[in-house]
Amino acid sequence: MSQDQTDTLDTASATGIATLDDLRRHLQWVIEVEHSTLPPYLTALYSLDAERNADAVQHISGVFVEEMIHLALAANLLNAVGGRPVLDAPHMLPPHPRTMPHADPSIELSLLPFGQEALRLFLRLEQPAHPGDPAEGDHYETIGQFYDAIEGGLRHLCAELGEDQVFLGDPARQVAGGPFVHTAGHHP
């Protein structure tokens, strides 16, 4: 076995993504993660007076739009590998406070008005992985580690099966730019 094959197998065992079904399940989890970030941002946004806090409204709404774009991209990737995104499962709408799906249980999501506590939550959500942090396909400490696991699993499957056997989805199911194509995630 070559070093590349060993590295790929190590990545698959560390991330929990060794099969196409594993990848599809994890991509659905990405949708659930991105979906779970929306209520906290939207709650903080709606707690602001747009006339008195125009800069905060612009920044929070921009982040909210970016999270929606992340969700759409995850759905597109799941579609591309032959999966079917689910957005209306009851487990995706639990009461708050709640933990972040498939994350370390210390990541708790709350619906808070804009303020110091909400900002701490947002910083926790957006915290980058540290250099050298392992990819984690479940119970991750940062969303970056989770995305690293998805990338590793996707690369592993493309190397093992070939891209033509991984990307089996119907291109017609892809979501295109829509109303945010020219905004770069910024609120108009």
Side-chain angles (χ1 to χ4, degrees):
M1 184 177 290
S2 74
Q3 184 60 43
D4 285 345
Q5 289 171 318
T6 301
D7 290 345
T8 300
L9 286 174
D10 288 345
T11 298
S13 64
T15 63
I17 304 172
T19 68
L20 200 48
D21 283 338
D22 292 339
L23 178 62
R24 289 178 185 134
R25 181 175 54 256
H26 280 76
L27 289 170
Q28 177 60 41
W29 291 356
V30 172
I31 291 168
E32 293 170 17
V33 166
E34 294 299 339
H35 185 271
S36 75
T37 66
L38 299 175
Y41 283 116
L42 203 54
T43 299
L45 177 63
Y46 285 150
S47 74
L48 290 167
D49 179 329
E51 288 185 24
R52 294 185 316 161
N53 300 293
D55 287 343
V57 166
Q58 181 179 2
H59 290 295
I60 299 295
S61 63
V63 172
F64 177 78
V65 168
E66 290 293 328
E67 298 300 337
M68 291 290 291
I69 292 169
H70 297 163
L71 191 151
L73 291 171
N76 275 352
L77 188 51
L78 181 53
N79 280 325
V81 299
R84 296 225 174 238
V86 175
L87 291 167
D88 61 352
H91 73 273
M92 291 178 68
L93 302 170
H96 287 78
R98 65 170 288 197
T99 57
M100 179 79 106
H102 306 285
D104 180 285
S106 69
I107 305 175
E108 186 173 282
L109 303 170
S110 296
L111 303 180
L112 304 164
F114 184 79
Q116 290 298 318
E117 195 175 353
L119 289 173
R120 279 191 290 278
L121 170 61
F122 300 156
L123 288 172
R124 179 65 179 102
L125 291 176
E126 304 299 337
Q127 177 183 335
H130 296 98
D133 280 354
E136 295 180 354
D138 204 3
H139 305 294
Y140 54 89
E141 294 177 32
T142 67
I143 293 174
Q145 289 173 284
F146 185 51
Y147 279 155
D148 286 346
I150 301 295
E151 179 184 1
L154 183 59
R155 288 182 184 278
H156 160 73
L157 290 169
C158 285
E160 181 180 281
L161 304 174
E163 289 183 17
D164 61 327
Q165 294 301 306
V166 173
F167 294 103
L168 304 168
D170 180 356
R173 292 183 48 84
Q174 296 297 306
V175 174
F180 302 113
V181 72
H182 298 294
T183 66
H186 297 287
H187 190 283

